[in-house]
Amino acid sequence: MLKIALTAGHYLGTAGKRCLKALDPAETREWVLNNRIADKVEKLLTAYEGYQLIRTDDTTGKKDIGLDARINAANNFGADIYISIHHNAGINGGKGGGIVAYTYTKVDQTTKNWQKALYEALIAETGLKGNRANPLATANLAECRKTTMPAVLLELGFMDSVTDLPVILTEEYADQCARAIVKVIVEKGGLVKKPKTLYRVQVGAYTDRTNAERMVKTLKNAGFEAIIAEG
């Protein structure tokens, strides 16, 4: 059973964490972008079995859950992977940017494998490679340092880039990111698709077999499975 800790970085009220107003008059908050992707990851995963998942952030965005609280929740849960979703800034209206995947400065090969797989899947889905010199980066980040499981912090494009921002604001981009993250979780976690549920519908009972056969033929012509059951 794969245990997943997922978090959307920050919250609605985090100071300064928003898109550059000159490029996005609505100044979309970073948490909105982060949470949109996290929600889509959760939804896509419901098609699979073999995992448990917790969100360590406040999914309404209204409450600021501190980093230590998020980390402790993941550690106490006994998560096998911790994925933190963020969007970057620091270009100040310039070009370029792209996706960056962070781990702590000293990590094992398992963590590096998660980092590489997530980054490569995201680039394959979105094409948002950017111009970062080191997209597989390391940093002294609390979420990556204090967690007791492999942890990857994803910066999914720059909110102040003329190149990235028009892309990361779109629903399509959020869908692409979610699909990429879920693809890696499924592959590395060995998750399997849930079996399809079949629903049987009884359409009527006939005293005349000819009428019953006529209805079966009509249903089959419409693409449905149909049989005659006596009794």
Side-chain angles (χ1 to χ4, degrees), residues 99-168:
I99 293 170
V100 182
Y102 282 94
T103 64
Y104 181 51
T105 54
K106 297 178 181 179
V107 293
D108 59 15
Q109 191 59 47
T110 299
T111 304
K112 292 178 182 179
N113 291 344
W114 274 100
Q115 177 193 31
K116 185 173 185 289
L118 285 165
Y119 175 76
E120 290 181 349
L122 285 161
I123 296 305
E125 274 282 353
T126 69
L128 202 69
K129 188 173 183 179
N131 57 357
R132 298 297 93 187
N134 185 20
L136 294 174
T138 61
N140 187 20
L141 302 171
E143 287 180 285
C144 298
R145 182 180 74 251
K146 294 184 177 181
T147 42
T148 56
M149 73 292 302
V152 182
L153 188 148
L154 300 171
E155 294 280 9
L156 300 175
F158 282 69
M159 299 181 294
D160 56 353
S161 163
V162 294
T163 307
D164 289 4
L165 187 57
V167 175
I168 67 179

Side-chain angles (χ1 to χ4, degrees), residues 48-193:
Y48 296 88
E49 55 188 15
Y51 77 95
Q52 294 177 337
L53 182 146
I54 60 167
R55 286 281 295 270
T56 64
D57 59 313
D58 172 35
T59 57
T60 70
K62 297 177 181 178
K63 184 177 180 181
D64 186 11
I65 307 296
L67 291 182
D68 282 345
R70 298 186 191 214
I71 293 162
N72 290 338
N75 290 344
N76 292 336
F77 179 56
D80 298 300
I81 179 63
Y82 183 99
I83 299 175
S84 183
I85 298 174
H86 288 255
H87 287 74
N88 221 330
I91 292 179
N92 299 315
K95 296 180 180 180
I99 293 170
V100 182
Y102 282 94
T103 64
Y104 181 51
T105 54
K106 297 178 181 179
V107 293
D108 59 15
Q109 191 59 47
T110 299
T111 304
K112 292 178 182 179
N113 291 344
W114 274 100
Q115 177 193 31
K116 185 173 185 289
L118 285 165
Y119 175 76
E120 290 181 349
L122 285 161
I123 296 305
E125 274 282 353
T126 69
L128 202 69
K129 188 173 183 179
N131 57 357
R132 298 297 93 187
N134 185 20
L136 294 174
T138 61
N140 187 20
L141 302 171
E143 287 180 285
C144 298
R145 182 180 74 251
K146 294 184 177 181
T147 42
T148 56
M149 73 292 302
V152 182
L153 188 148
L154 300 171
E155 294 280 9
L156 300 175
F158 282 69
M159 299 181 294
D160 56 353
S161 163
V162 294
T163 307
D164 289 4
L165 187 57
V167 175
I168 67 179
L169 287 175
T170 66
E171 198 75 26
E172 180 185 9
Y173 178 76
D175 287 334
Q176 291 170 338
C177 288
R179 285 198 300 267
I181 293 167
V182 169
K183 179 178 183 289
V184 174
I185 290 172
V186 168
E187 290 177 353
K188 294 187 74 62
L191 307 190
V192 295
K193 280 269 191 180

